Short mmCIF file of all heavy atoms in Angstrom, two decimals:
data_model
loop_
_atom_site.label_atom_id
_atom_site.label_comp_id
_atom_site.label_asym_id
_atom_site.label_seq_id
_atom_site.Cartn_x
_atom_site.Cartn_y
_atom_site.Cartn_z
N SER A 191 -90.60 27.71 15.99
CA SER A 191 -90.70 27.02 14.72
C SER A 191 -91.03 25.56 14.78
O SER A 191 -91.52 24.93 13.83
CB SER A 191 -89.28 27.05 14.00
OG SER A 191 -88.27 26.33 14.82
N TYR A 192 -90.99 24.95 15.98
CA TYR A 192 -91.34 23.47 16.13
C TYR A 192 -92.77 23.28 15.93
O TYR A 192 -93.67 23.95 16.50
CB TYR A 192 -90.95 23.03 17.61
CG TYR A 192 -91.19 21.59 17.78
CD1 TYR A 192 -90.29 20.60 17.25
CD2 TYR A 192 -92.29 21.10 18.48
CE1 TYR A 192 -90.55 19.27 17.28
CE2 TYR A 192 -92.53 19.74 18.64
CZ TYR A 192 -91.60 18.81 18.11
OH TYR A 192 -91.82 17.48 18.25
N SER A 193 -93.08 22.29 15.11
CA SER A 193 -94.54 21.95 14.81
C SER A 193 -94.96 20.78 15.74
O SER A 193 -94.67 19.65 15.58
CB SER A 193 -94.59 21.43 13.38
OG SER A 193 -95.86 21.07 12.96
N ALA A 194 -95.62 21.21 16.79
CA ALA A 194 -96.04 20.37 17.87
C ALA A 194 -97.37 19.78 17.51
O ALA A 194 -98.30 20.43 17.08
CB ALA A 194 -96.05 21.04 19.20
N LYS A 195 -97.55 18.50 17.94
CA LYS A 195 -98.87 17.83 17.84
C LYS A 195 -99.75 17.96 19.07
O LYS A 195 -101.00 17.76 19.02
CB LYS A 195 -98.69 16.37 17.46
CG LYS A 195 -98.04 16.13 16.14
CD LYS A 195 -97.82 14.71 15.81
CE LYS A 195 -97.12 14.44 14.51
NZ LYS A 195 -96.93 13.04 14.23
N THR A 196 -99.11 18.25 20.21
CA THR A 196 -99.87 18.32 21.45
C THR A 196 -99.39 19.52 22.26
O THR A 196 -98.27 20.09 22.07
CB THR A 196 -99.60 17.00 22.33
OG1 THR A 196 -98.20 16.92 22.59
CG2 THR A 196 -100.17 15.80 21.56
N SER A 197 -100.23 19.87 23.28
CA SER A 197 -99.86 20.89 24.22
C SER A 197 -100.62 20.71 25.55
O SER A 197 -101.63 19.97 25.54
CB SER A 197 -100.15 22.27 23.66
OG SER A 197 -101.44 22.72 23.75
N LEU A 198 -100.25 21.37 26.62
CA LEU A 198 -100.98 21.26 27.80
C LEU A 198 -102.41 21.76 27.68
O LEU A 198 -103.33 21.36 28.48
CB LEU A 198 -100.25 22.05 28.92
CG LEU A 198 -100.66 21.68 30.41
CD1 LEU A 198 -99.53 21.90 31.32
CD2 LEU A 198 -101.88 22.66 30.82
N LEU A 199 -102.69 22.57 26.64
CA LEU A 199 -104.03 23.06 26.39
C LEU A 199 -104.92 21.94 26.06
O LEU A 199 -106.15 22.05 26.33
CB LEU A 199 -103.99 24.12 25.32
CG LEU A 199 -103.27 25.42 25.55
CD1 LEU A 199 -103.28 26.34 24.36
CD2 LEU A 199 -103.84 26.14 26.73
N ASP A 200 -104.40 20.80 25.50
CA ASP A 200 -105.23 19.65 25.19
C ASP A 200 -105.75 19.00 26.51
O ASP A 200 -106.81 18.38 26.38
CB ASP A 200 -104.41 18.65 24.47
CG ASP A 200 -103.92 19.16 23.14
OD1 ASP A 200 -104.52 20.00 22.57
OD2 ASP A 200 -102.78 18.71 22.75
N ASP A 201 -105.08 19.20 27.57
CA ASP A 201 -105.51 18.67 28.85
C ASP A 201 -106.08 19.60 29.85
O ASP A 201 -106.19 19.37 31.05
CB ASP A 201 -104.28 17.98 29.54
CG ASP A 201 -103.80 16.85 28.79
OD1 ASP A 201 -104.51 16.17 28.02
OD2 ASP A 201 -102.60 16.40 28.99
N PHE A 202 -106.52 20.78 29.30
CA PHE A 202 -107.01 21.86 30.20
C PHE A 202 -108.22 21.39 30.95
O PHE A 202 -108.30 21.61 32.19
CB PHE A 202 -107.25 23.13 29.45
CG PHE A 202 -106.78 24.32 30.13
CD1 PHE A 202 -105.43 24.72 30.08
CD2 PHE A 202 -107.71 25.08 30.86
CE1 PHE A 202 -105.05 25.81 30.78
CE2 PHE A 202 -107.26 26.28 31.56
CZ PHE A 202 -105.94 26.60 31.50
N GLU A 203 -109.14 20.72 30.34
CA GLU A 203 -110.35 20.32 31.04
C GLU A 203 -109.96 19.27 32.08
O GLU A 203 -110.62 19.27 33.22
CB GLU A 203 -111.39 19.72 30.02
CG GLU A 203 -112.67 19.31 30.70
CD GLU A 203 -113.72 18.78 29.68
OE1 GLU A 203 -113.41 18.87 28.49
OE2 GLU A 203 -114.79 18.36 30.07
N PHE A 204 -109.08 18.37 31.73
CA PHE A 204 -108.63 17.33 32.66
C PHE A 204 -108.02 18.01 33.97
O PHE A 204 -108.46 17.64 35.08
CB PHE A 204 -107.46 16.56 32.04
CG PHE A 204 -106.80 15.58 32.95
CD1 PHE A 204 -107.37 14.35 33.29
CD2 PHE A 204 -105.52 15.84 33.43
CE1 PHE A 204 -106.67 13.43 34.11
CE2 PHE A 204 -104.80 15.04 34.28
CZ PHE A 204 -105.44 13.81 34.62
N TYR A 205 -107.25 19.02 33.85
CA TYR A 205 -106.61 19.74 34.98
C TYR A 205 -107.64 20.61 35.64
O TYR A 205 -107.50 20.85 36.91
CB TYR A 205 -105.39 20.44 34.57
CG TYR A 205 -104.24 19.57 34.29
CD1 TYR A 205 -103.67 19.48 33.08
CD2 TYR A 205 -103.74 18.88 35.45
CE1 TYR A 205 -102.59 18.60 32.91
CE2 TYR A 205 -102.61 17.99 35.26
CZ TYR A 205 -102.04 17.84 33.95
OH TYR A 205 -101.01 17.00 33.79
N GLU A 206 -108.64 21.10 34.98
CA GLU A 206 -109.70 21.89 35.60
C GLU A 206 -110.40 21.02 36.65
O GLU A 206 -110.70 21.43 37.75
CB GLU A 206 -110.74 22.39 34.57
CG GLU A 206 -110.20 23.55 33.76
CD GLU A 206 -110.23 24.88 34.54
OE1 GLU A 206 -111.21 25.48 34.69
OE2 GLU A 206 -109.00 25.22 34.93
N LYS A 207 -110.64 19.76 36.26
CA LYS A 207 -111.38 18.84 37.17
C LYS A 207 -110.53 18.54 38.37
O LYS A 207 -111.04 18.44 39.51
CB LYS A 207 -111.71 17.49 36.46
CG LYS A 207 -112.78 17.71 35.33
CD LYS A 207 -113.16 16.47 34.55
CE LYS A 207 -114.18 16.71 33.52
NZ LYS A 207 -114.43 15.42 32.76
N ARG A 208 -109.30 18.26 38.11
CA ARG A 208 -108.30 18.10 39.21
C ARG A 208 -108.26 19.25 40.20
O ARG A 208 -108.22 19.08 41.42
CB ARG A 208 -106.93 17.67 38.68
CG ARG A 208 -106.81 16.29 38.14
CD ARG A 208 -105.47 16.10 37.44
NE ARG A 208 -104.35 16.21 38.36
CZ ARG A 208 -103.83 15.26 39.11
NH1 ARG A 208 -104.41 14.00 39.13
NH2 ARG A 208 -102.80 15.46 39.84
N GLU A 209 -108.27 20.46 39.66
CA GLU A 209 -108.22 21.64 40.47
C GLU A 209 -109.40 21.75 41.33
O GLU A 209 -109.32 22.06 42.56
CB GLU A 209 -108.02 22.90 39.62
CG GLU A 209 -108.00 24.14 40.47
CD GLU A 209 -107.81 25.36 39.60
OE1 GLU A 209 -107.94 25.34 38.32
OE2 GLU A 209 -107.74 26.49 40.12
N LYS A 210 -110.62 21.50 40.82
CA LYS A 210 -111.86 21.47 41.53
C LYS A 210 -111.79 20.52 42.72
O LYS A 210 -112.22 20.73 43.79
CB LYS A 210 -113.02 21.16 40.62
CG LYS A 210 -113.41 22.38 39.71
CD LYS A 210 -114.37 21.86 38.59
CE LYS A 210 -115.67 21.48 39.13
NZ LYS A 210 -116.68 21.03 38.09
N LEU A 211 -111.25 19.33 42.42
CA LEU A 211 -111.10 18.26 43.46
C LEU A 211 -110.14 18.70 44.52
O LEU A 211 -110.48 18.58 45.68
CB LEU A 211 -110.75 17.00 42.78
CG LEU A 211 -110.56 15.84 43.78
CD1 LEU A 211 -111.87 15.57 44.53
CD2 LEU A 211 -110.14 14.53 43.03
N PHE A 212 -109.03 19.33 44.17
CA PHE A 212 -108.13 19.85 45.17
C PHE A 212 -108.74 20.94 46.07
O PHE A 212 -108.52 20.95 47.24
CB PHE A 212 -106.80 20.37 44.52
CG PHE A 212 -105.99 19.34 43.78
CD1 PHE A 212 -105.35 19.71 42.54
CD2 PHE A 212 -105.96 18.01 44.22
CE1 PHE A 212 -104.63 18.71 41.92
CE2 PHE A 212 -105.24 17.11 43.51
CZ PHE A 212 -104.64 17.40 42.40
N ARG A 213 -109.50 21.80 45.42
CA ARG A 213 -110.14 22.86 46.14
C ARG A 213 -111.17 22.23 47.17
O ARG A 213 -111.26 22.78 48.27
CB ARG A 213 -110.84 23.81 45.23
CG ARG A 213 -109.95 24.71 44.43
CD ARG A 213 -110.70 25.96 43.87
NE ARG A 213 -111.99 25.63 43.25
CZ ARG A 213 -112.08 25.52 41.99
NH1 ARG A 213 -111.06 25.62 41.17
NH2 ARG A 213 -113.25 25.30 41.38
N SER A 214 -111.92 21.24 46.72
CA SER A 214 -112.85 20.67 47.58
C SER A 214 -112.14 19.99 48.77
O SER A 214 -112.65 20.14 49.91
CB SER A 214 -113.59 19.54 46.87
OG SER A 214 -114.47 18.92 47.71
N GLN A 215 -110.98 19.42 48.60
CA GLN A 215 -110.22 18.72 49.67
C GLN A 215 -109.67 19.77 50.63
O GLN A 215 -109.48 19.44 51.80
CB GLN A 215 -109.16 17.87 49.13
CG GLN A 215 -109.62 16.65 48.30
CD GLN A 215 -108.51 15.89 47.64
OE1 GLN A 215 -107.43 16.42 47.37
NE2 GLN A 215 -108.82 14.72 47.23
N ARG A 216 -109.37 20.99 50.17
CA ARG A 216 -108.82 21.95 50.99
C ARG A 216 -109.77 22.97 51.56
O ARG A 216 -109.44 23.91 52.20
CB ARG A 216 -107.70 22.72 50.19
CG ARG A 216 -106.52 21.88 49.76
CD ARG A 216 -105.63 22.67 48.91
NE ARG A 216 -104.44 21.97 48.66
CZ ARG A 216 -103.38 22.43 47.85
NH1 ARG A 216 -103.54 23.62 47.35
NH2 ARG A 216 -102.36 21.59 47.66
N SER A 217 -111.05 22.79 51.19
CA SER A 217 -112.06 23.75 51.62
C SER A 217 -112.12 24.01 53.15
O SER A 217 -112.50 25.10 53.52
CB SER A 217 -113.48 23.23 51.16
OG SER A 217 -113.78 22.00 51.78
#
Side-chain angles (χ1 to χ4, degrees):
S191 62
Y192 183 76
S193 180
K195 296 181 179 179
T196 60
S197 78
L198 196 149
L199 296 177
D200 299 330
D201 291 339
F202 222 79
E203 183 177 354
F204 172 80
Y205 284 115
E206 287 286 282
K207 293 178 181 178
R208 282 172 62 87
E209 182 183 3
K210 287 167 64 177
L211 181 55
F212 294 145
R213 290 202 307 267
S214 176
Q215 293 173 339
R216 294 175 176 178
S217 61

